[in-house]
Amino acid sequence: MANPDVIVIGAGIVGVCSALCLQREGLRVTIITRDGPGEACSFGNSGGIGGGVSVAPLSLPGIVGKAPKMLLDPKHPLSVRWNYFPAMIPWFVRFARSSAPARVEQISDARASLFAMGTESFAPLLEAAGATDMVRNTGSLNVYESRESMVLAGVGREYARRRGVVFEEIDGDEARRLNPILGPKVDCAVFFPDHAQTINPGRLVQVLAQRFTADGGELISDQVTGFSFAADGAPSVRTRGGEYGAAQVVIAAGVWSKALARMLGTRVSLEAQRGYHVMLPKPGVEGRLMTTLADRNLVISPMEHGLRITGIAEFAHPDAAPNYAHADRILAQAAEMVPGLKTEGATRWVGPRPSTPDSLPVIGRAPGYERVVFAFGHGQNGLQMGAITGKLVADLVAERPPSVDLAPFRPDRF
Ligand SMILES: Cc1cc2nc3c(=O)[nH]c(=O)nc-3n(C[C@H](O)[C@H](O)[C@H](O)COP(=O)(O)OP(=O)(O)OC[C@H]3O[C@@H](n4cnc5c(N)ncnc54)[C@H](O)[C@@H]3O)c2cc1C
């Protein structure tokens, strides 16, 4: 059989959206993936899409002074595996640099440029896959246990407000009216009306991947172990099971892209910021919309298969064994805010957010390799940014001017 036009490595939300966008250009596309579609980090997220709620990066000004206290507190949602800490020092140094006020403004502009096109880029993919019912435009809530904490968190919201994100401050009773599962500890809240949510992120990727294969795309289960290049620059992808040639290759392998980029001589600053979830199939309450318990850094999301509680930012090797004590803690914390929460049949999960120190993804041509495109590093927002990234990948492969300025996402910026 003739080689495909493009091989996409990875079948998370970013790889599958990229493959679909390339396919819509009329190209023959093959996905090679180690895990099944939507089975890695894209499986277990909170499902938040659009709205630009989190325009500001994680590296807000002043965070560096607070970080040591957070990291040394074993109960804080930010944690690090200390045996991995030395390997992460360069990442933390870049993170600190990214917190300079002027840099935070630049980063927020770049993130907003992707968020602005996130929803409109998703729509045609959802429609083609018959999956529009998997995304609900319910808005989302950030709830606070005191007015002081809502005011403090206003610093981050200000970056969003100045970039056109709409939100409304409401009192605790209004928050409970919007999401009746919330208990009396909620004092006040911020409502983001333009936020949407998928009811099952893992299944959403599977449904999109089914559209891809139904339209003639090939999906190969295998692990990529290396690359080789013909004299004319044509790439081949080596896997455990064989070797596959293509006119172009897209690396969209989430946090594992770091090792693949390194094989091509590019060092990217990319680490696993691992999040945990607890899935409650019979929670005994019915959540109406995605709700962030801001003082506890937890998100509660109603899903088609129960209530999902997500949280924790654990810096560790992406494949390190899970520490499910984190998951147990987020469940206990959520139970304090949601009276009557039932835990029967609960399942726990961990997944690696592919995180760059500047909270910006890596999107662009691989330095020195004209026929390889990088598309990874979406951190906390891969679902929101997946479809627009796919569109930008298609722009690059088709050699069109990109729909968004790609300079902030350059692979060689580290
Ligand atoms: C708790 C939690 C909550 C979150 N909430 C949200 C949210 O509300 N909204 C949002 O937008 N984002 C959220 N995120 C972030 C989002 O889930 C990620 O940014 C996104 O899933 C990353 O997608 P990806 O396609 O880059 O990577 P992944 O989904 O990890 O996919 C990587 C793919 O690459 C494949 N792969 C890896 N190495 C190889 C190899 N060598 N050869 C072949 N294949 C390989 C894997 O098998 C997999 O298919 C959350 C994350 C977590 C953990």
Side-chain angles (χ1 to χ4, degrees):
M1 239 167 65
N3 286 344
D5 296 309
V6 189
I7 289 176
V8 175
I9 304 171
I13 187 68
V14 177
V16 170
C17 287
S18 300
L20 282 170
C21 290
L22 290 162
Q23 199 176 44
R24 291 165 77 88
E25 298 282 328
L27 298 170
R28 282 176 307 111
V29 183
T30 294
I31 297 178
I32 302 180
T33 182
R34 187 193 58 203
D35 304 284
E39 287 179 2
C41 187
S42 302
F43 175 79
N45 61 50
S46 320
I49 301 173
V53 175
S54 43
V55 153
L58 293 179
S59 56
L60 280 177
I63 191 147
V64 176
K66 296 178 198 150
K69 192 164 170 242
M70 294 176 187
L71 287 171
L72 291 170
D73 176 357
K75 291 203 173 130
H76 197 277
L78 177 67
S79 84
V80 66
R81 295 272 176 104
W82 289 108
N83 59 357
Y84 194 64
F85 183 71
M88 283 215 53
I89 289 173
W91 190 99
F92 280 122
V93 170
R94 290 190 180 96
F95 180 81
R97 278 196 215 127
S98 304
S99 70
R103 182 73 187 121
V104 172
E105 293 293 346
Q106 288 170 346
I107 294 171
S108 301
D109 285 341
R111 285 169 63 79
S113 73
L114 294 180
F115 287 143
M117 293 186 66
T119 311
E120 70 177 74
S121 311
F122 228 139
L125 305 186
L126 293 172
E127 270 161 36
T132 48
D133 61 337
M134 291 193 71
V135 174
R136 293 188 183 154
N137 299 316
T138 48
S140 74
L141 276 175
N142 282 10
V143 303
Y144 300 89
E145 290 161 62
S146 71
R147 196 142 282 273
E148 293 75 27
S149 63
M150 184 167 84
V151 171
L152 274 177
V155 175
R157 277 196 303 278
E158 196 48 26
Y159 291 90
R161 190 191 60 72
R162 283 193 276 110
R163 287 163 182 87
V165 176
V166 176
F167 54 83
E168 184 191 350
E169 293 185 3
I170 57 178
D171 64 21
D173 287 338
E174 181 63 5
R176 278 180 286 276
R177 195 187 62 74
L178 289 171
N179 196 2
I181 70 172
L182 295 168
K185 282 184 187 255
V186 172
D187 179 75
C188 49
V190 178
F191 177 56
F192 295 88
D194 298 331
H195 198 254
Q197 195 219 313
T198 176
I199 53 173
N200 189 337
R203 190 168 76 79
L204 179 62
V205 180
Q206 283 165 17
V207 170
L208 293 171
Q210 279 158 12
R211 179 76 266 154
F212 168 75
T213 49
D215 287 346
E218 189 184 13
L219 198 126
I220 297 173
S221 292
D222 207 339
Q223 183 171 345
V224 174
T225 54
F227 302 91
S228 58
F229 294 85
D232 66 354
S236 286
V237 168
R238 265 197 316 279
T239 67
R240 287 187 185 277
E243 183 148 357
Y244 302 87
Q248 306 217 34
V249 170
V250 176
I251 299 180
V255 74
W256 298 277
S257 305
K258 178 180 177 176
L260 296 175
R262 186 82 191 88
M263 289 173 197
L264 298 175
T266 299
R267 285 181 189 272
V268 288
S269 194
L270 184 68
E271 295 292 346
Q273 189 205 127
R274 303 189 332 156
Y276 287 75
H277 86 212
V278 178
M279 196 66 221
L280 302 176
K282 295 177 194 156
V285 293
E286 203 172 331
R288 288 214 190 130
L289 74 172
M290 187 170 152
T291 297
T292 300
L293 308 181
D295 297 320
R296 297 162 191 250
N297 289 296
L298 301 183
V299 179
I300 301 184
S301 300
M303 298 272 163
E304 63 182 357
H305 49 317
L307 197 68
R308 175 169 290 175
I309 303 155
T310 53
I312 306 293
E314 180 195 46
F315 287 97
H317 188 281
D319 302 313
N323 174 1
Y324 283 129
H326 287 308
D328 297 341
R329 206 165 50 243
I330 61 177
L331 176 58
Q333 292 258 335
E336 287 180 22
M337 300 296 288
V338 179
L341 202 58
K342 304 250 183 332
T343 59
E344 188 194 337
T347 53
R348 302 176 295 187
W349 171 88
V350 64
R353 301 177 188 94
S355 299
T356 58
D358 56 9
S359 299
L360 295 175
V362 174
I363 307 171
R365 292 212 170 269
Y369 294 90
E370 273 303 298
R371 302 215 204 167
V372 180
V373 170
F374 288 165
F376 52 78
H378 296 74
Q380 326 261 101
N381 307 101
L383 180 59
Q384 296 200 46
M385 294 175 174
I388 175 61
T389 300
K391 194 170 193 303
L392 293 167
V393 165
D395 288 341
L396 283 166
V397 168
E399 298 186 359
R400 270 194 305 266
S403 324
V404 169
D405 175 19
L406 288 180
F409 315 114
R410 282 189 345 263
D412 63 357
R413 68 183 188 271
F414 300 108

